[in-house]
Amino acid sequence: MSIQHFLSIADLTPETLWHILELGRDLKEEWKAGGNRPLLKGKTLGMLFQKPSLRTRVSFEMGMIHLGGGAIYLSPQEVQLGQRESVPDVARVLSRYVDAIMARVFAHAHVEQLAAHSRVPVINGLSDYSHPCQALADLLTIWEIKGRLEGIRLAYVGDGNNVARSLAFAAALTGIHMVAASPEGYALDEGTVARSRALAEAGGGSLRLTTDPVEAVRDADVIYTDVWASMGQEAEAERRRQVFRPYQVNAALVAQAPPDVIVMHCLPAHRGEEITDEVIDGPRSVVFHQAENRLHAQKGLLVWLLGAMG
Ligand code: CP
Ligand code: NVA
């Protein structure tokens, strides 16, 4: 039987995506009520990092602890993926010790290579292409706060990056109508648009690109932003600060949206760049609720992947 990995939201059907979200929601309710079922008792997650992290590392580690298992953090210096040892060899060895691997990498090809050579499920904990675990938490958050996903209007304002791409696939599969406003040259690529439209045939969502942030937020239920320069793009940060300035999510932009709009950000935030203090700390912001949901959504993912509840 082939191994189930979690490399991209686009690999899921709407049914599977909803199954993971429902597991996450149920586990969250149990945990909030003081319960913790040891569904992954004795199981271990190996966590490989090529980049820094707060949320991904701690939420996966705590998720495994809640479920009765454990997690091992492997720092960039330790494994030196693809440098000290080839990516396939890392997968071959690590997957003989642990029950699942979560990897945060620069090149998406590296999570694909890990999956191709692993005996156990591989989870993409962020690559230059996508951030599917973030999208799970984002969907859970919108679902909890707005009571539905179908028909939600989501305005993504900023870089057409890994987070935006996973969000676009997630929106397509769950009936969310997403508009992504990016400066020219920084929009989501054509392949992502095509893939998202194909997924929308099954899920009922949509994706539209624009360069106008005000037009994007006018009918929005959700405004979402992310950093202008992602990890690995530090050399471009200054140039990007100039290009993206009109795309800042500030009080003036939020005022163009309906009054019940919520504001999301995957974090870490560069306060004063893509989002102002006033907005991130303001009444429309749900960013810390969203950050907490990384824990709950990923518990659903782990339980699904490791087969504890089908
Ligand atoms: N949102 C997110 O993935 O945060 P970290 O980079 O801290 O893991
Ligand atoms: N787009 C950002 C997300 C960080 C969680 C990055 O890749 O750095």
Side-chain angles (χ1 to χ4, degrees):
M1 207 183 80
S2 69
I3 303 160
Q4 182 70 59
H5 301 290
F6 183 68
L7 304 188
S8 171
I9 291 281
D11 298 336
L12 303 177
T13 60
E15 292 71 28
T16 306
L17 179 52
W18 272 109
H19 179 57
I20 296 168
L21 293 175
E22 282 163 6
L23 281 172
R25 178 206 52 193
D26 293 350
L27 291 163
K28 179 173 181 176
E29 276 173 16
E30 277 181 37
W31 182 70
K32 294 275 177 191
N36 257 336
R37 266 184 301 159
L39 293 167
L40 301 183
K41 192 168 170 12
K43 304 268 188 196
T44 311
L45 177 71
M47 306 190 295
L48 277 170
F49 282 88
Q50 282 191 316
K51 296 173 176 172
S53 170
L54 171 63
R55 280 144 290 272
T56 303
R57 188 228 164 135
V58 180
S59 58
F60 268 109
E61 192 159 339
M62 287 312 301
M64 286 303 293
I65 292 171
H66 286 188
L67 293 164
I72 299 169
Y73 170 71
L74 295 157
S75 72
Q77 294 74 24
E78 241 164 332
V79 177
Q80 299 173 34
L81 196 66
Q83 292 173 319
R84 182 169 182 267
E85 200 162 359
S86 80
V87 177
D89 282 356
V90 170
R92 288 180 183 113
V93 173
L94 189 56
S95 67
R96 284 174 184 248
Y97 300 141
V98 298
D99 299 289
I101 294 172
M102 190 278 293
R104 166 165 288 194
V105 298
F106 285 98
H108 187 72
H110 283 171
V111 279
E112 292 180 331
Q113 268 181 293
L114 285 170
H117 297 278
S118 171
R119 293 179 163 196
V120 299
V122 172
I123 298 168
N124 175 4
L126 182 145
S127 68
D128 56 1
Y129 179 73
S130 63
H131 197 0
C133 297
Q134 183 64 51
L136 291 181
D138 300 341
L139 292 179
L140 181 59
T141 305
I142 299 168
W143 183 29
E144 284 178 331
I145 295 174
K146 296 289 184 185
R148 68 194 163 101
L149 296 179
E150 201 180 348
I152 289 289
R153 287 157 304 189
L154 187 154
Y156 178 89
V157 180
D159 190 22
N161 62 14
N162 45 8
V163 167
R165 187 170 292 106
S166 290
L167 206 51
F169 295 150
L173 285 172
T174 55
I176 292 176
H177 302 296
M178 175 164 160
V179 184
S182 312
E184 231 156 281
Y186 294 89
L188 282 167
D189 58 289
E190 279 176 23
T192 296
V193 174
R195 190 78 195 271
S196 153
R197 290 191 178 146
L199 295 172
E201 282 176 27
S206 63
L207 173 64
R208 185 167 65 79
L209 305 184
T210 176
T211 52
D212 183 350
V214 174
E215 182 259 322
V217 305
R218 200 156 276 142
D219 297 322
D221 299 300
V222 180
I223 298 174
Y224 196 119
T225 191
D226 183 18
V227 292
W228 293 336
S230 286
M231 291 180 275
Q233 297 176 327
E234 289 75 12
E236 293 175 40
E238 189 44 49
R239 166 152 180 72
R240 284 171 173 261
R241 267 194 283 276
Q242 309 304 322
V243 174
F244 281 91
R245 205 171 298 282
Y247 293 80
Q248 183 183 66
V249 175
N250 52 32
L253 185 67
V254 175
Q256 301 294 322
D260 62 348
V261 73
I262 57 170
V263 177
M264 300 179 72
H265 190 309
C266 59
L267 302 176
H270 292 169
R271 288 167 172 259
E273 293 188 14
E274 76 277 359
I275 193 162
T276 57
D277 286 335
E278 192 182 5
V279 170
I280 200 169
D281 298 326
R284 310 311 323 157
S285 169
V286 299
V287 302
F288 299 109
H289 179 147
Q290 180 186 0
E292 179 186 322
N293 275 342
R294 290 292 301 277
L295 170 69
H296 309 299
Q298 288 160 195
K299 283 169 72 177
L301 173 69
L302 289 163
V303 166
W304 171 68
L305 268 183
L306 290 171
M309 275 171 55

